[in-house]
Amino acid sequence: SAGHVIVDSLAAHGVERAYVVPGESFLDVLDGLHNSPIETIVCRHEGGAAYMAEADGKLHRRPGVAMVTRGPGAANAHVGLHTAWQDSTPMVLFVGLIPFEHRDREAFQEFDIKAWFDTGAKRVMVLDHPERAPEIVAEAMFAATSGRPGPVVVGLPEDIIRVMIDATLHPVIPVAQGGMTVSDWKALKAALLEAEKPLFVLGGNDWTAEGAAALASWLEGHRIAAAVEWRCEGTISFDSPSYVGPIGYGRPKPTYDLLEETDLLVFVGTVPGDVITDGFLVRQDWAKKNFLVTIDPSLRGRSGPVSYQIVAKPDVFVRDLVMMELPVRDQWRAFTERMRTEQEKFAALPTAEPAPGPARMDTLMANLVPALPAVAMVTLGAGEHTHWAHRYFPTRTYASMISARNGSMGYSVPSAVAASLAYPDRTVVTIAGEGEFLMNGQELAPPAQYGATPLVIVMGNGEYGTIRTHQQRHYPHRVSGTQLKNPDFALMARAFGGFGVRVETDAGVPPAVTAALAAIEQEGTFALIHLIVEQRVKAY
């Protein structure tokens, strides 16, 4: 059947997992998954499934895959599509649809899939001809990864996918990688030789660990500084002498000033957009020199000057760049060392010794970080609680920070589940706020079902902290709509089959960290620490 061929085609494209909330509209695809090498991860909400697929796309060189049903299911999954669109993540969302013959009659759960998704996906396709099933899958996977990666939506009418067809699979469509031309090489080399304070900014999801490591080695050898786009930490190691910090919301003052101080910016895998430029305010002088290395010739989302564009994906750019030998200038060394010193001061762990009184995130990070293996990963949703990870978490390899750069809440737990399933031998930590956690906390169910073992840290301060900060700035002393009363999340974790501990005093932090890590390592379960902290305490 066409539904079975869809599954076979996904397996041929290297898909290892499908994140699913089942529906009667795509039962034939679910049947195809029954004896497939693709693992079916049953999620509890379509938003959680879409987030898991989006995170899976960040972790691999092929799209993450989610499957949901029509109407309400598709609506719930939309949040993951927006994340994939703004974060440039390859993802394919399969949506079961009403039978072909019922179309345009306002059938049960009918909706216009193209009208809903056309503006937020790279392509929206509907399988109206069953024999095209393998072609549609190949086109969807290609569209999601080619050029600037992003989400693709495929509609599957429930009667069409049951039709028997020839099972011949469409071959994988190769994706152009670009690369540096001779002119590109000469232009970049000349710009670097003229610069006294060059700065590379690394971002996006279109890297491999090998490519990121090769670039880091080249930068270190030439004493050139590198910052990372907001929530892309790990693209260059936290420990690298060239790494000078993250650039994005809540960034420390030294990296805020970097964009204006540097006389040459080289963006690799990303462009200077809204967040990097602090709302299109920083680095807007047309006389500034910016080189943009991106496979997207349209430079979508770019702000400020463009001196030169190199059309290439990061790995092929790095492949060509590492053959460029340059004399190390004293000015490069001095600039990089100065900014690296600022980053080291910023990231230095606070004391691990508990203080009297309420629990503190500083104490938790000071006890957690030294206990982590070198290749630990962190996932994040959105909120001020994430700043502790930006400041202290040791991201040492690509990819070791998986987050939502569109500021989407509810991402922490689903992304941690996807990361733990993809890398079962790595320690995966997620940091969530109370408000964010309850948006997709139900996705603690899949870890118990499929063996994922993330450490979930829920920072409980009884409010939507980021919004409260803005409220205090614009409407001081008028607290409205931001305060929360929440349950005991440690009990919730235990109810889902994991380890859970609630910590209210700072003295309780070290033993809680030890017990949670022991539960993961010795019992093979996920763990949750519900840390009750004071309001209005920030990482920086």
Side-chain angles (χ1 to χ4, degrees):
S1 66
H4 282 229
V5 171
I6 286 168
V7 174
D8 292 343
S9 297
L10 289 172
H13 279 79
V15 173
E16 298 168 335
R17 290 172 192 85
Y19 299 92
V20 171
V21 176
E24 65 271 26
S25 58
F26 63 102
L27 284 177
D28 198 78
V29 175
L30 287 174
D31 188 68
L33 287 167
H34 181 263
N35 290 319
S36 166
I38 297 174
E39 185 178 19
T40 305
I41 306 300
V42 180
C43 305
R44 302 313 194 259
H45 188 274
E46 291 86 358
Y51 278 146
M52 289 187 202
E54 197 275 346
D56 194 71
K58 283 186 166 95
L59 291 162
H60 296 95
R61 296 285 285 174
R62 47 91 187 132
V65 171
M67 296 179 179
V68 303
T69 196
R70 58 208 177 195
N76 286 341
H78 210 148
V79 65
L81 282 183
H82 185 264
T83 305
W85 176 267
Q86 289 220 317
D87 285 20
S88 301
T89 306
M91 171 185 172
V92 178
L93 175 68
F94 290 91
V95 181
L97 298 179
I98 62 169
F100 185 89
E101 62 182 17
H102 292 179
R103 195 174 298 173
D104 298 324
R105 300 169 70 181
E106 200 171 348
F108 178 65
Q109 296 184 340
E110 181 179 7
F111 74 106
D112 187 332
I113 191 170
K114 294 197 174 185
W116 275 26
F117 293 123
D118 250 345
T119 60
K122 291 186 70 178
R123 290 188 67 181
V124 181
M125 298 179 281
V126 178
L127 181 65
D128 281 343
H129 302 281
E131 68 277 3
R132 293 188 62 195
E135 174 196 348
I136 290 287
V137 172
E139 289 288 347
M141 300 295 278
F142 170 76
T145 52
S146 62
R148 173 175 164 171
V152 173
V153 181
V154 179
L156 305 175
E158 66 173 278
D159 52 345
I160 299 297
I161 60 177
R162 293 196 298 264
V163 176
M164 304 305 290
I165 63 170
D166 176 11
T168 303
L169 302 184
H170 192 291
V172 175
I173 304 171
V175 173
Q177 303 290 313
M180 274 206 280
T181 66
V182 173
S183 297
D184 296 338
W185 172 286
K186 290 179 178 179
L188 179 58
K189 184 173 183 179
L192 285 165
L193 289 173
E194 291 173 3
E196 294 188 357
K197 297 178 179 180
L199 175 68
F200 279 60
V201 177
L202 318 180
N205 311 309
D206 216 4
W207 298 76
T208 65
E210 295 77 16
L215 177 56
S217 178
W218 186 87
L219 291 167
E220 291 165 7
H222 289 87
R223 306 300 191 270
I224 294 176
V228 291
E229 182 180 16
W230 189 53
R231 299 185 170 175
C232 287
E233 287 149 71
T235 311
I236 183 170
S237 174
F238 185 85
D239 301 323
S240 170
S242 284
Y243 176 55
V244 298
I247 293 181
Y249 289 135
R251 62 184 181 241
K253 187 66 163 61
T255 55
Y256 182 93
D257 295 336
L258 263 180
L259 295 188
E260 294 293 1
E261 181 180 355
T262 176
D263 55 357
L264 173 64
L265 266 177
V266 182
F267 290 87
V268 185
T270 188
V271 295
D274 179 10
V275 177
I276 289 179
T277 62
D278 199 37
F280 309 113
L281 296 175
V282 180
R283 197 73 179 186
Q284 300 300 297
D285 183 347
W286 298 109
K288 298 286 188 181
K289 188 173 289 188
N290 288 355
F291 273 57
L292 275 55
V293 182
T294 169
I295 196 66
D296 178 16
S298 72
L299 296 179
R300 196 178 83 225
R302 174 211 47 92
S303 168
V306 181
S307 307
Y308 201 97
Q309 181 186 9
I310 297 172
V311 181
K313 287 182 177 279
D315 273 36
V316 293
F317 168 73
V318 172
R319 176 202 66 193
D320 299 339
L321 177 71
V322 296
M323 293 185 286
M324 185 185 294
E325 286 297 329
L326 302 169
V328 177
R329 301 186 63 184
D330 290 340
Q331 296 95 322
W332 296 356
R333 189 192 311 270
F335 176 62
T336 301
E337 289 179 354
R338 173 168 63 84
M339 295 311 304
R340 176 61 189 169
T341 299
E342 293 285 351
Q343 165 60 18
E344 288 176 340
K345 288 191 297 184
F346 176 69
L349 285 172
T351 178
E353 189 67 27
R360 300 166 64 246
M361 277 294 294
D362 277 359
T363 306
L364 184 141
M365 296 302 292
N367 282 271
L368 174 64
V369 168
L372 293 172
V375 292
M377 301 175 66
V378 65
T379 80
L380 307 169
E384 289 181 339
H385 56 274
T386 65
H387 292 175
W388 272 271
H390 288 301
R391 182 167 188 174
Y392 298 123
F393 200 92
T395 47
R396 295 190 173 99
T397 184
Y398 181 87
S400 51
M401 178 179 284
I402 304 299
S403 187
R405 291 191 298 280
N406 70 334
S408 188
M409 296 177 71
Y411 187 84
S412 55
V413 173
S415 58
V417 173
S420 184
L421 290 171
Y423 294 99
D425 296 329
R426 294 176 67 177
T427 299
V428 177
V429 179
T430 192
I431 301 177
E434 285 176 308
E436 196 232 345
F437 176 80
L438 269 184
M439 291 186 178
N440 272 309
Q442 76 283 344
E443 301 305 344
L444 286 178
Q449 187 170 353
Y450 302 104
T453 59
L455 170 59
V456 180
I457 298 166
V458 183
M459 193 188 88
N461 61 2
E463 65 179 358
Y464 286 116
T466 301
I467 311 307
R468 171 73 189 280
T469 294
H470 288 288
Q471 188 173 69
Q472 193 65 26
R473 184 180 302 131
H474 298 290
Y475 301 92
H477 312 300
R478 293 179 60 82
V479 180
S480 176
T482 55
Q483 300 306 288
L484 303 171
K485 182 176 176 59
N486 287 303
D488 185 334
F489 294 124
L491 291 176
M492 181 175 170
R494 295 200 289 273
F496 275 110
F499 171 89
V501 58
R502 177 183 172 98
V503 182
E504 298 187 16
T505 66
D506 215 34
V509 171
V513 170
T514 300
L517 291 175
I520 292 169
E521 295 165 9
Q522 298 170 19
E523 300 173 26
T525 185
F526 74 88
L528 182 148
I529 300 174
H530 187 186
L531 198 72
I532 309 302
V533 301
E534 292 183 285
Q535 291 190 343
R536 319 314 304 140
V537 176
K538 302 181 183 182
Y540 53 91

